[in-house]
Amino acid sequence: MGERSAAERDRSDRRRREDGAERAGSELVVVANRLPVTRAPRARPNQPDEWDLSPGGLVSALTPVLQKRVSTWVGWPGAGPAPRRLESQGIQLRPVSLTRAQVEGYYAGFSNHTIWPLYHDAVRPPRYHRPWWRCYVDVNRCFAEAAIAEAAPGAVVWVHDYHLQLVPRMIRERRPDLRVGFFLHIPFPPQELFAQIPWRRQILEGLLGADVVGFQTVVGARNFAVLSRRYAGAEGERDVLTLHGHRCRTGAFPISIDFEKFADLAASPEIERMAAATRVRLGGPRRVLLGVDRLDYTKGIDVRLLVFEELLRERRLDPRECVLVQVAVPSREEVPDYQALRHEVERLVGSINGEFGEVGRSPVHYLHRSLAMPELVALYRAADVMLVTPVRDGMNLVAKEYVASRVDGRGVLVLSELAGAAHELRHAMQVNPYDVEGLKDALVRAVEMPDDEQERRMTALRRVVERRNVHVWARSFLAGLEG
Ligand code: ADQ
């Protein structure tokens, strides 16, 4: 989109002031599974619900973009009744309410039992269940309809993630005037895995309805091109694919974080005090190791604990000198695989502390909860070694948050080669999370790494994350879409 004239800007401003129900449509529509709000607890039973903007990378990336023009975010507000329209911090929100059966089939079923495991190297067996697929199609149509109703003529629609892969084509069929972008936050698998899906052609055609399909890495984009030619009959080389006369561009747009926000907070005296106090509370160890993850079987939390346990048993690490803090935010708690993981992690923590702890001193500190940003950043600043060991990950923002928070230029990032972030964070200590002996050696090296090497690596890492921050990511995707 080129420079807007003054008249257009005036029109936009006027529209922005208009009452929700009569709006002329949005210039930008973001479509994602979840709305970026949570229902706040009511002060009194008869009061209407209040909604808080949930913090998070995508929200902070998109808020400035959304606030600049007339825009709407379309998404599921979570269980329970929701109004037809909401507003939070100047962002218009359009809830897509789903029945319990729809949530079961589309979200818990097809998204989280079929696509999520399959796209993560099938680390758990994906399940192909026809009613889930039918529900996925229906719910994708609800999202597409809501986006269509919000979009002004010629608007840009940006669809996010694996829950909504059919939406681009559904929108294009009804509204060829719109520019449609799709960004996949998780990996896109190779042919050997993707070929399993009974509905593979429909998924590819769904995505190919977009003008731009963005992936975290070039590997994802390449897999998509190969599969689109093989199973959807698309034509074209490399980054432009054509299906039924429609051109779809593909490419890598690695997502990032708000570098400045993390760096500024990390540099504040308050956070420095919190970080120092944390180390004291941990018993003043020589080295603090840290893991921060959603409690998900793709994140390699169990592998990390196992490696730590073996190193203590072999006396290559001393439990009086090294402490591991593992923070795991609860996730998908109703799914049996996630319940099993939680039990396994808690068993390992108990076993390590039982064997190597003493009264008043534990080698592992485990928190099963979400932390506020200051607490999280204080932990990043307190940690000498950050362990990011997923068995597969689209990007992994924790790795980038740690780097941004190390305003002192110290700290060692141990990073799985199988995280998307490994493509950019070349100066991390990269590891294969399946190679237990290799991981053990890397951990010992990280613990012993001299200060000058830490500084050399961290300086290089910080440069990358600062330059490729989340604002650059959002701008470059939208420029690709609008250009
Ligand atoms: P996730 O799988 O959720 O995201 P990740 O990128 O690591 O993974 O983001 C997790 C976010 O949750 C981070 O911002 C982190 O700070 C926060 N978080 C984790 N534990 C927390 C805790 N205990 N308390 C508070 N906050 C916590 C998906 C893909 C990733 C991809 C992102 C963005 O799976 O590969 O990087 O989307 O595209």
Side-chain angles (χ1 to χ4, degrees):
M1 222 181 269
E3 283 286 296
R4 292 191 305 159
S5 68
E8 274 175 321
R9 271 200 305 276
D10 285 345
R11 256 201 313 280
S12 261
D13 290 345
R14 203 170 52 244
R15 267 194 246 141
R16 202 187 296 270
R17 288 192 298 270
E18 279 171 8
D19 203 308
E22 294 305 320
R23 288 175 332 129
S26 292
E27 298 160 6
L28 173 64
V29 179
V30 166
V31 191
N33 173 50
R34 282 306 299 257
L35 276 183
V37 285
T38 43
R39 201 187 304 262
R42 287 183 199 174
R44 274 185 243 108
N46 291 334
Q47 276 183 337
D49 280 326
E50 287 198 18
W51 300 78
D52 294 333
L53 198 65
S54 356
L58 196 56
V59 181
S60 60
L62 297 181
T63 302
V65 186
L66 288 163
Q67 283 171 340
K68 253 189 233 141
R69 24 188 158 180
V70 183
S71 39
T72 302
W73 185 313
V74 172
W76 180 49
R84 242 186 70 74
R85 215 169 262 294
L86 286 163
E87 198 198 313
S88 186
Q89 297 191 11
I91 304 176
Q92 296 293 326
L93 307 172
R94 165 71 205 273
V96 176
S97 294
L98 301 176
T99 64
R100 193 185 294 232
Q102 284 176 320
V103 175
E104 277 298 305
Y106 142 84
Y107 178 71
F110 197 76
S111 298
N112 287 338
H113 272 102
T114 308
I115 298 292
W116 178 268
L118 182 75
Y119 283 24
H120 288 88
D121 288 358
V123 288
R124 293 288 185 280
R127 287 168 53 192
Y128 302 107
H129 190 44
R130 285 168 289 170
W132 289 350
W133 164 253
R134 287 194 283 272
C135 199
Y136 185 79
V137 177
D138 289 345
V139 173
N140 269 242
R141 196 167 300 287
C142 295
F143 278 83
E145 298 290 341
I148 287 167
E150 293 299 319
V156 166
V157 182
W158 190 358
V159 185
H160 288 264
D161 227 359
Y162 62 104
H163 318 85
L164 301 173
Q165 296 172 99
L166 309 179
V167 169
R169 180 179 179 186
M170 290 172 169
I171 293 179
R172 170 154 319 284
E173 281 173 349
R174 292 266 313 278
R175 289 284 302 274
D177 62 299
L178 302 177
R179 301 280 299 166
V180 183
F182 180 92
F183 182 75
L184 185 70
H185 290 255
I186 67 174
F188 196 76
Q191 184 172 337
E192 301 78 62
L193 293 173
F194 191 84
Q196 291 180 11
I197 310 178
W199 311 280
R200 60 196 182 195
R201 182 182 51 78
Q202 291 93 318
I203 289 175
L204 293 165
E205 286 177 354
L207 294 168
L208 286 162
D211 296 285
V212 176
V213 180
F215 298 90
Q216 301 277 25
T217 65
V218 287
V219 178
R222 208 182 302 140
N223 288 343
F224 177 63
V226 169
L227 285 158
S228 294
R229 286 194 294 266
R230 175 101 166 73
Y231 295 117
E235 290 177 344
E237 289 303 312
R238 300 161 63 97
D239 54 356
V240 182
L241 297 159
T242 306
L243 185 66
H244 310 315
H246 170 68
R247 277 158 57 90
C248 169
R249 293 205 300 113
T250 70
F253 297 84
I255 199 168
S256 192
I257 56 155
D258 190 337
F259 179 90
E260 254 178 52
K261 197 164 151 193
F262 278 87
D264 288 351
L265 186 59
S268 70
E270 172 64 11
I271 294 296
E272 274 191 38
R273 264 198 305 277
M274 282 168 74
T278 301
R279 291 191 73 106
V280 172
R281 270 187 286 138
L282 289 171
R286 189 167 78 82
R287 289 287 186 245
V288 175
L289 287 66
L290 175 65
V292 172
D293 312 80
R294 232 172 9 84
L295 190 52
D296 193 289
Y297 53 74
T298 59
K299 301 290 182 184
I301 304 170
D302 42 354
V303 177
R304 196 179 302 164
L305 288 165
L306 208 78
V307 160
F308 188 61
E309 182 176 41
E310 286 195 16
L311 286 171
L312 293 175
R313 186 162 302 127
E314 292 164 12
R315 299 178 188 222
R316 292 174 70 191
L317 290 182
D318 183 341
R320 286 162 308 184
E321 290 196 336
C322 289
V323 165
L324 170 61
V325 179
Q326 175 63 55
V327 190
V329 64
S331 181
R332 303 177 197 171
E333 287 178 289
E334 64 297 340
V335 179
D337 277 339
Y338 287 71
Q339 291 162 1
L341 173 71
R342 179 175 176 188
H343 290 142
E344 176 58 6
V345 165
E346 292 178 355
R347 189 193 65 74
L348 280 163
V349 170
S351 140
I352 298 170
N353 285 340
E355 190 171 343
F356 302 102
E358 283 171 19
V359 174
R361 186 180 55 69
S362 307
V364 184
H365 293 250
Y366 171 66
L367 304 180
H368 179 244
R369 72 175 90 110
S370 181
L371 300 182
M373 190 168 163
E375 290 178 279
L376 192 63
V377 173
L379 268 180
Y380 288 146
R381 281 227 50 187
D384 304 288
V385 178
M386 183 79 216
L387 299 172
V388 179
T389 56
V391 291
R392 180 58 75 189
D393 214 332
M395 176 56 59
N396 195 292
L397 295 180
V398 167
K400 293 187 173 182
E401 292 169 1
Y402 178 68
V403 167
S405 304
R406 297 314 304 220
V407 284
D408 57 343
R410 296 275 173 82
V412 184
L413 174 63
V414 176
L415 176 63
S416 164
E417 292 165 359
L418 305 181
H423 289 253
E424 295 171 279
L425 304 183
R426 297 275 174 205
H427 286 84
M429 283 193 72
Q430 296 210 357
V431 290
N432 170 359
Y434 290 101
D435 173 9
V436 173
E437 291 305 320
L439 255 174
K440 283 161 65 181
D441 292 345
L443 224 136
V444 172
R445 266 196 67 206
V447 162
E448 297 304 333
M449 188 179 286
D451 289 353
D452 57 342
E453 186 180 349
Q454 289 188 28
E455 275 169 29
R456 193 161 40 73
R457 286 173 181 263
M458 192 49 80
T459 307
L461 290 170
R462 288 177 62 75
R463 216 175 289 135
V464 173
V465 182
E466 182 169 21
R467 195 153 30 94
R468 300 192 203 151
N469 61 49
V470 76
H471 305 298
V472 172
W473 170 77
R475 275 201 303 271
S476 70
F477 188 90
L478 285 170
L481 191 52
E482 292 168 344

